[in-house]
Amino acid sequence: MTTVHADTARIPVPTQSTYQTRVADYWNAEENPVNLELGKIDDLYHHHYGIGDADRTVLDEPDPGRRRERLTGELHRLEEAQAQLLASHLGQLSPADRVFDAGCGRGGGSVVANLRYGCHADGVTISAKQADFANQQARKRGIDDKVSYHHRNMLDTGFTSGAYAASWNNESTMYVELDLLFAEHARLLRRGGRYVTITGCYNDTYGRASREVSLINAHYICDIHPRSAYFRAMARNRLVPTHVQDLTQAALPYWELRKEADHLVTGIEDTFLTAYRNGSFQYLLIVADRV
Amino acid sequence: MTTVHADTARIPVPTQSTYQTRVADYWNAEENPVNLELGKIDDLYHHHYGIGDADRTVLDEPDPGRRRERLTGELHRLEEAQAQLLASHLGQLSPADRVFDAGCGRGGGSVVANLRYGCHADGVTISAKQADFANQQARKRGIDDKVSYHHRNMLDTGFTSGAYAASWNNESTMYVELDLLFAEHARLLRRGGRYVTITGCYNDTYGRASREVSLINAHYICDIHPRSAYFRAMARNRLVPTHVQDLTQAALPYWELRKEADHLVTGIEDTFLTAYRNGSFQYLLIVADRV
Amino acid sequence: MTTVHADTARIPVPTQSTYQTRVADYWNAEENPVNLELGKIDDLYHHHYGIGDADRTVLDEPDPGRRRERLTGELHRLEEAQAQLLASHLGQLSPADRVFDAGCGRGGGSVVANLRYGCHADGVTISAKQADFANQQARKRGIDDKVSYHHRNMLDTGFTSGAYAASWNNESTMYVELDLLFAEHARLLRRGGRYVTITGCYNDTYGRASREVSLINAHYICDIHPRSAYFRAMARNRLVPTHVQDLTQAALPYWELRKEADHLVTGIEDTFLTAYRNGSFQYLLIVADRV
Amino acid sequence: MTTVHADTARIPVPTQSTYQTRVADYWNAEENPVNLELGKIDDLYHHHYGIGDADRTVLDEPDPGRRRERLTGELHRLEEAQAQLLASHLGQLSPADRVFDAGCGRGGGSVVANLRYGCHADGVTISAKQADFANQQARKRGIDDKVSYHHRNMLDTGFTSGAYAASWNNESTMYVELDLLFAEHARLLRRGGRYVTITGCYNDTYGRASREVSLINAHYICDIHPRSAYFRAMARNRLVPTHVQDLTQAALPYWELRKEADHLVTGIEDTFLTAYRNGSFQYLLIVADRV
Amino acid sequence: MTTVHADTARIPVPTQSTYQTRVADYWNAEENPVNLELGKIDDLYHHHYGIGDADRTVLDEPDPGRRRERLTGELHRLEEAQAQLLASHLGQLSPADRVFDAGCGRGGGSVVANLRYGCHADGVTISAKQADFANQQARKRGIDDKVSYHHRNMLDTGFTSGAYAASWNNESTMYVELDLLFAEHARLLRRGGRYVTITGCYNDTYGRASREVSLINAHYICDIHPRSAYFRAMARNRLVPTHVQDLTQAALPYWELRKEADHLVTGIEDTFLTAYRNGSFQYLLIVADRV
Amino acid sequence: MTTVHADTARIPVPTQSTYQTRVADYWNAEENPVNLELGKIDDLYHHHYGIGDADRTVLDEPDPGRRRERLTGELHRLEEAQAQLLASHLGQLSPADRVFDAGCGRGGGSVVANLRYGCHADGVTISAKQADFANQQARKRGIDDKVSYHHRNMLDTGFTSGAYAASWNNESTMYVELDLLFAEHARLLRRGGRYVTITGCYNDTYGRASREVSLINAHYICDIHPRSAYFRAMARNRLVPTHVQDLTQAALPYWELRKEADHLVTGIEDTFLTAYRNGSFQYLLIVADRV
């Protein structure tokens, strides 16, 4: 089944708007240590945050080099835990199944899914550089017969309708219109297929987007949706939630640790912590069935 | 604030349809031991099922009377666990807050909420007999200044807009149109208020309603909704999910135990077990914010 | 034009859900005398009920064998009257026109349309056995150049857009989502084409589905829609009613007679009679134009 | 119950738009013999057309005065048949029930309903002159304790919600927005109440409004809706069709006879006949339940 | 890119409804001097009205022939001004861009766009005669390599999705359903493409269609939409207004002058003037972006 | 009519969400010279930007004090021009008419409307301090019998339905949900009433919110809507655009001048200029009729 897609993996994505070009430029240029240093550890390059309790004893490490190393490792362990949580909700997948990784970044999520289920994976990113990097990694791991990355628009992939058993967005929904996104997932997923997203969303209960949410938007050139927007757009696109979990509390240890890592911080750490704590921002897992 | 409602508690509900009359007749006549015997234990009368692991050693009890007693007690413990799970999601309530129990049956849920938070509660049931029974219980407990039950239509309560901090349906949504129901909850809840439901729903992933689901409908004269219907109707009525949990697995021990209780069975036990196991039916918790 | 479809008539339908498999299993196994015995009379095999006044003198027939025969014949006359009523609303069709029979069962309806108008017909059923049986009948009649049956999903036929002058569902809408169904009819019908359905629906005026409606659902593994659902879904799919007729009264004589036919009853007869008489269930004809 | 409305019957309607003023002016000035001469026969003043087979022998009457008289009588018989058809679909009404006649003109329809069922009736017209005339007629008949006419806007009557067992528009829907109209009917009707309309609509199957339809619009300063608009607006306003009948053929004899009546013609007769015959215009009965 | 379309330019449009046939017949037969005489001046044949202040001194011209000539010239100048206003809003187009002229009539608008921007143009008309005439003109001008006209249905052009940088309707929206029309424009326009319409619409502020609006409908066999319908249909089809201008006052001088031109009047002049002046009718420019 | 509202002018607004409290806090604390210094000139305190060509010779003024004064004056002239543009689109208002100023700030807009038309005005602001200040100004001018300011939520004013001839938002829509806002305007405006907004919106043609838009959001704690959202929400709330104008170019001179005014800058000036120039942000005037 891979061959169906392999030939199109190098077709350049028609960038549709100035905004998308600017986002692509950002990610083509991005070389944040928090992504690269953590990925180097085991060649699982993620572009998302971590969850779960942190081992804060790494901060007590007296040796500066070792402290950096242990801090980096601990943050990677937390982001790995997040990736595993997402992967654990993809449903019962077999090696013959195919999954779609929307907004795949440097490719870590697809590798996790492949390692876990043996399944085929198609990752899509708007950054040509990320797609190249990820495909290189797949070749290096020897899984490029099953896992491939495509420089495409996740709203208009050109992939075959109904060909996917599962799909996900790991912190990549804030760059796109949700109705267009979920329409594409609904088109690609087979009946009964599973969709999963972990995302930051702003909290309608708090009100409109807080100042902190806007600062995060400015930092990443993204446009964070309110929580309500996810459920409205899913309702319109035959995606029915089966599990929803507020991960906000579970996300705090990662950020509290990260702000101590001088070699990794990007400057947005305190804004995240404030946003989570004042109730204006949430870290949310939604698992839905394609019906 | 209670006095606002107290005077209207005895106003008979205008029964709007033949269907509603038939449902009211059913509950006015209902005297199932599984509801009454369990309630007698501690005067917490529930009309819902239980969750969590069961102590199946009660089945090994050699003395028949004692066996019945322990079985009854264990089932009550499980339904109590369900009631507590629901109540634990009502948000941070103070004694000054007011909650709305839609489809209150013999009143157990409102008592649980009052015991837990000290809050005011208004229960609504289409059965005059249930409302009377529940009010009697409240008086007996000495909480009738804070908890009252009303013989009303939950779709058209006549209660004050925005007066409620939380509201719920515990296995009572399958008797009504969800859009009308959620419109009424949205009207009654204050901004930021919390809505919770635990419900049986049929599973869109399986397909349409299975034979087992239809048999359950016939048993209770109800009309079980597909899971998708909940999220669509919430999306239209400013109720935004914050926590969704599939309780199907957690519901099985209750039913497996109940089918062994000859003095309590109603005959629907195997149908529930088959429906849960073949994937056509789910026991679902949805927690949502009124935005 | 037939050749366009002939080659695909044997392509197995991708069964999409467990529910659909279970429905297909039901119909593959079904051998009810009320369908087979009646069909044998003149090789018009219907899967629906009858309408119109019954000749109840057949019950007075003293000879048991003759009584059975006359009873069978009378029921077949009534179901034939129903099929003719439906066919009479298909619009002005010529032999060059093509019609679509959605949920064709053992094929009687398409034969009726062909005999009446000389038109081409494509029947679709989820049961491979029914499709085979129906195609055999068509060959036997020598009309297999114009009438063919397909083992397909009526929600996703793969047939050519706009190729049909008329289409119908005769008691087969209760197995599917109406929005998906009417979208497919609207796609297949040419502008100005005619859609007809005769269906049992539950009556919104009564309220939600009654116990009897649920028992019918359990009997046939179907999911009867409320009357309102038909008009809402048609309004969304460019199908505009031009004639609507409540056939409930006209359906009673068939059921009253059938319950006397010991050799044909399936056990659901009294439930139907009660449901029709207590106002919770209706037998409805809707004729609509594709605009 | 009458007294509730009696005091408001003289409150002038706030005319909302220039269009409505112009329509009101038209009907305040209108003195067409086809309305007045026919009404005089038995004091049943209708503002609609007739249905059914005509006795065309009246045209052979040699005496000119007698010919006019018989022609007038025959047309009145046909319009009376139309009024009775509408009234026969209002459901089972008792003398305690109340009906709403939206766009009542000179009041004939409400009298017909009162004579048939003994029920209370509230007619509403935008023309003060028509309301006065109709109330005068009611007093003359001695039914003004049960039947009253109001100079109001049918889109915003100010009447009590849920107070009506039935309501109708007899050829008056083409002056208003259907969504606003049906929202008001749905508000006024009790659950299970019946709504009936007989109306000219343009035929979506034909296409957009034909020249003839536009000429009719110009003649009456109205804005004829397409057939589809009725079903879409009903679907949005909890009005579910139970009977739909195309009366176009039944309407032709009236118009064919009327065009021969030199003393009654208004000049629009041929346009109606052409519009009905070329398929662009339909005379439709819709009976719906308020659910 | 032209060649993509050239081969299909002669494929006859499948006329879908009686209404469309009648409109096509009208335009195939139409030979109004007000269109032909004005077009002859410089071979720019328009089918729309003019805007801007008129030079009414042409009426004082004593020589009758010269007066006619000057009158004709002045009216053409005004309709040319209208065409230029529309063209000026098409966005920044290059010679490589392609535009779509929906309802192109005798082709003037596409020529104007080509002359202004050097772009490719595809005009579509339901009249075969108009398409032939317009193609002849293009050949005569030597621009038939860039500008071509097609006898097609503008609701279903068969052109390539996303291939157009701009598109418009110049007084041709009143013949079609706006939702179907805007869906086709949205399909054809690339993201960020520009849509422009100049149209007569009836004014919802006034109320429903006035008598004058209906007379205009009858004159042209069209079905003028209310202003609100444009914005509702655009909102559903990803067309976002960026400039809206009421041209009603600017349209009056054209009509005031035209009614003095005995050799050009069609008889509808006074109706337009009354409709514009009594507030029931508007001449509107809407410029929107495809997002 | 004023007295209807006067008694409620001091009723504190129920602040509904944390977000609203934070916005109110911001404006209660705000003392930006760019608002206060400009307002002092003639006691017209605006909270919006200016439009039109600027007299940049004020920058050449050698005397620093005089330069500041002239700069301040010039900026005030430009913001006054904006206020007049808005006011000029409110329709034909008489002194008996009443207007609603949603998000009135320190009250300048209502004064402008009163001076221009002599009409009554009700301003609403979420900041108690702004309402007090504005009422003080009205008293000082002696127009407090006609103009009053209320500390209320503009989404839920409690004012009388249909009582307003015109209403507006001048740069205040970005703090609220548009559907709630336009529903309130539609409720308050009489049929045919006029709604006007001047607002910054992000440009859907560009894509999602740009970094600059997010920085503006962070600066003001607001949540700028995309342009499309305005037209969608108006379409749902019976507000029909009649004039739409892109004021982006006209807004540049104000910002270019303001960035030179060291005594007035707030630091957001360059962000605005970049946002306007890169096409991601627009300054838009929408004039709509309530139908």
Side-chain angles (χ1 to χ4, degrees), chain A residues 143-159:
Chain A
I143 57 171
D144 53 321
D145 58 330
K146 299 209 85 171
V147 175
S148 49
Y149 300 93
H150 312 259
H151 175 217
R152 295 201 182 181
N153 185 342
M154 64 166 117
L155 304 181
D156 186 18
T157 61
F159 293 160

Side-chain angles (χ1 to χ4, degrees), chain F residues 170-204:
Chain F
N170 200 343
E171 293 180 19
S172 52
T173 53
M174 55 286 289
Y175 292 102
V176 294
E177 281 185 62
L178 291 183
D179 265 309
L180 300 182
L181 176 66
F182 292 157
E184 185 70 355
H185 280 288
R187 186 183 71 75
L188 293 175
L189 286 170
R190 69 180 180 211
R191 206 189 183 291
R194 181 58 64 82
Y195 172 73
V196 184
T197 186
I198 295 181
T199 188
C201 60
Y202 80 73
N203 186 355
D204 307 75

